[in-house]
C-alpha cells in the first residue's frame, strides 16, 4: 500500500503543519503508513513550536501525483489544497472549516466539527482509537490550539478546545499561559518580514458570490507596525489582485493583546465590506473592533454581503 | 431554539428513515431538541421494521423553509435532499456516501465514514456520547444495517458494520438471520407494485461527466418478476427520461438470495455502461454478476466511464 500523505493547506499556519504531524502519527499508530507533508515552510510561530518540542518541519511538496493517497487536514476546499489533488485519491479529511469545492467519487472518512482547532478533533480521534498521545506530540497539539484560539480568546473557541488544551497540557507538562504568550509573540516579529511575506504568510482565497476574495491575516502586538507600511502594502495588494485575478483583497492586522483588528481593503466591492461589518472604510482601511477570527467573523458576513450584491 | 429536523434522502429507504429516528433520539438524549422527518412514505421493508419494533413512520415534509435547522442523514448531495434546503441552516451531516453538491457558509459537524450503513456511524456516536441505546431503537438500527448490507453480504459491508450489528442484536434480543430474511423478503413483494413504483421506490440521480444519470434499484427473490414486466418498464423509463431530463436511466434488479443483479438500460451512453461493467448490453439489458451495491459497484465505474467519454 502506498504511504498516505497528510497535508494541511497552502500558506500553512501552525494548526495546519501540526495537524499533519499529529494525524500522521495517529495513522501510523493504528496500522496505516502515513507521512506528514506541508505546502510551504513553517512560519515563525510554527517554527517556535516545532523547535520547542524537538520536531523538524515536514517535507514540502509542490503537487500531488497520479496514485497518491491524500489525507487532508485543516482544510477541504480545492483552491486551498495541494495542486493536482484531482489526480490523487483523498482517503480522509479532518477539518473545522466550512465545506465547499469538495467532491469525491467514492465514500471516505470525513470528520469536521465546528470547534476552534483541527487538533481538538485529532485529540478526540486519539481518544476514540485508544491511542496514547506522546508527550512531545501533545506539546505540538496544544500549540496549535493556542494558535488557532489566540489562547482561548477567539470566538471560535469552544468548551471542547478548552478541555483538549487542559488534558494536552497535563500530558506535555507545559504551563499554558507562559508558553502560550511566548508562542503567539514568536509569530509577531513583523520587522524582519517583507511586505510580500506579510500578504502571504496566512492568506486564503474564497469564492464569494461571483467574486474571488483573498483574505490575509497578520498577528501583531502593535498595529502601528502595519500602519507604518500601509501605502506599500496597498500598492502590493493591488498588484497582486491584477496578477492573480482576485477581485477583492483584505489584509487583517489582528492585535493579539487587545483582540481587535483593522483591515486594509483593495479591489471591487468596498461597499460590501462596509455592509458586512457595519463600519466605514476610510483611506482604504476599516476598523474591526472585537474581530479576531477570519473564519467566524469575516468570511460569513462578507460572503453574505457579496452574495446579496 | 428551533427544533432540528433530521431528514434522510428522497425516495427514502430503510437506512434513511431509521437514521432520522435514531439520530434524532441521540440529539434529544444530549440536550438538543430534534424531530425525525422523511421525504416520503416508508417502503414495505421499512414499514415491516417500524411495525416490528413499534414505531410510527416519521412525518413527511415537502420542503425546507427559511430559518429551519436541518440535520442530514444518509445523504449529502443537494439533488437528493429536501427541496429548499438552501434556505435552511444545515447543522450536521451523518453519512456514508461520496461527497458532492454540498457546500456551507459556516463550519458544521460532518461525520462521514466509508462503512456499509449510516446507522453504524450513529451507533458509534451513541457510544462516544455515552448514551444507552433503547432496546426498540437498537432493533431499528440493526434493521437498517441488515437492509444496507443485505445481511452482511454486500461488498459495502465492513467489520464495523458486523460489530455494530452484533452489539445491537444483543441489545434488541433479535436473532439476526431469522429476522433479517423476514425483513429483506418484506421488501420484495413486487407483484403489488405498479411499474412507476418499481422505478421510484429506491431511485437516485447522479451528475456524471456532463450527464444526469438516474439509477433505481429493486430487490427481489426472483428476477423473472422483473423480466415479465420488462417492455413496460423500458417504455416508462424512456418517458421518465424525457419528462425529468435524465440522460440515462438504469434500473437494477438485485437478487438478494443469489447476490447478482441485472440492469435495464435506457438513454444516452449505453457504450459507457458496457465499458463500466465489461458486459454487453442485449435488448436494453445487461447482466451484472456479483453486483449488489449501487454505491460501490455501479456509481464509481459508471462515473469514470462517463467522465472519459
Amino acid at each position: 500500500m502506498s504511504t498516505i500523505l497528510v497535508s494541511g493547506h497552502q500558506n500553512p499556519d501552525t494548526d495546519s503543519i501540526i495537524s499533519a504531524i499529529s494525524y500522521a502519527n495517529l495513522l501510523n499508530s493504528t496500522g496505516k503508513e502515513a507521512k506528514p507533508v506541508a505546502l510551504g515552510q513553517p512560519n515563525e510561530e510554527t517554527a517556535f513550536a516545532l523547535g520547542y518540542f524537538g520536531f523538524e518541519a515536514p517535507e514540502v511538496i509542490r503537487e500531488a501525483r497520479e496514485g497518491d493517497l491524500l489525507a487532508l487536514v485543516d482544510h477541504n476546499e480545492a483552491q486551498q489544497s495541494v495542486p493536482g489533488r484531482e489526480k490523487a485519491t483523498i482517503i480522509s479529511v479532518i477539518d473545522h472549516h466550512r465545506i465547499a469545492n469538495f467532491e469525491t467519487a467514492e465514500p471516505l472518512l470525513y470528520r469536521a466539527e465546528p470547534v476552534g482547532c483541527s487538533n481538538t478533533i485529532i485529540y478526540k480521534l486519539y481518544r476514540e482509537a485508544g491511542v496514547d498521545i506522546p508527550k512531545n506530540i501533545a506539546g505540538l497539539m496544544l500549540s496549535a490550539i493556542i494558535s488557532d484560539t489566540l489562547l482561548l480568546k477567539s470566538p471560535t473557541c469552544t468548551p471542547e478546545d478548552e478541555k483538549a488544551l487542559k488534558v494536552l497540557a497535563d500530558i506535555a507538562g507545559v504551563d499554558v499561559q507562559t508558553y502560550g504568550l511566548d508562542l503567539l509573540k514568536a509569530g509577531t516579529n513583523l520587522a524582519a518580514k517583507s511586505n510580500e511575506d506579510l500578504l502571504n504568510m496566512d492568506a486564503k482565497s474564497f469564492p464569494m458570490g461571483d467574486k474571488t476574495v483573498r483574505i490575509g491575516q497578520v498577528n501583531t502586538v502593535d498595529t502601528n507596525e502595519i500602519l507604518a507600511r500601509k501605502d506599500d502594502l496597498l500598492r502590493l495588494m493591488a498588484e497582486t489582485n491584477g496578477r492573480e485575478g482576485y477581485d477583492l483583497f483584505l489584509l487583517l492586522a489582528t492585535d493579539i493583546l487587545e483582540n481587535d483588528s483593522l483591515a486594509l481593503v483593495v479591489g471591487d466591492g468596498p461597499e460590501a465590506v462596509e455592509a458586512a461589518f457595519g463600519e466605514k472604510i476610510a483611506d482604504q482601511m476599516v476598523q474591526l473592533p472585537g474581530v479576531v477570527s477570519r473564519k467566524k467573523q469575516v468570511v460569513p458576513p462578507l460572503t453574505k454581503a457579496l452574495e446579496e450584491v
Side-chain angles (χ1 to χ4, degrees), chain A residues 16 34 97 110 278 301:
Chain A
S16 234
H97 296 87
Y110 197 112

Side-chain angles (χ1 to χ4, degrees), chain A residues 11 61 63 67 90 93 119 146 247 260-261 272 280 286 294:
Chain A
N11 297 317
I61 62 168
E63 58 175 357
I90 300 170
V93 178
N119 272 283
I146 290 167
D247 299 295
D260 289 322
S261 294
K280 284 283 167 206
V286 60
R294 170 171 52 194

Side-chain angles (χ1 to χ4, degrees), chain A residues 133-200:
Chain A
I133 305 175
K135 187 171 175 174
N136 58 350
I137 297 260
L140 286 187
M141 292 171 74
L142 71 86
S143 305
I145 297 176
I146 290 167
S147 169
D148 262 19
T149 67
L150 289 180
L151 247 175
L152 306 181
K153 287 197 210 121
S154 165
T156 58
C157 186
T158 69
E160 298 215 64
D161 300 297
E162 291 182 36
K163 186 180 151 199
L165 178 57
K166 191 171 174 317
V167 177
L168 291 166
D170 286 345
I171 297 171
V174 162
D175 179 90
V176 166
Q177 283 302 321
T178 311
Y179 171 75
L181 269 184
D182 287 347
L183 174 73
L184 291 177
K185 282 184 184 159
T188 62
N189 178 15
L190 304 184
K193 293 204 182 308
S194 72
N195 293 324
E196 295 245 2
D197 287 342
L198 295 187
L199 292 195
N200 292 322

Side-chain angles (χ1 to χ4, degrees), chain A residues 8 25 39 91 122 126 164 171 174 293 308:
Chain A
N25 181 70
L39 305 186
I91 60 150
I122 295 170
Y126 272 90
I171 297 171
V174 162
S293 167
E308 284 170 358

Side-chain angles (χ1 to χ4, degrees), chain A residues 15-34:
Chain A
D15 188 31
S16 234
I17 298 241
I18 288 178
S19 292
I21 296 172
S22 60
Y23 187 54
N25 181 70
L26 175 62
L27 290 173
N28 286 325
S29 305
T30 52
K32 305 218 168 63
E33 203 181 299

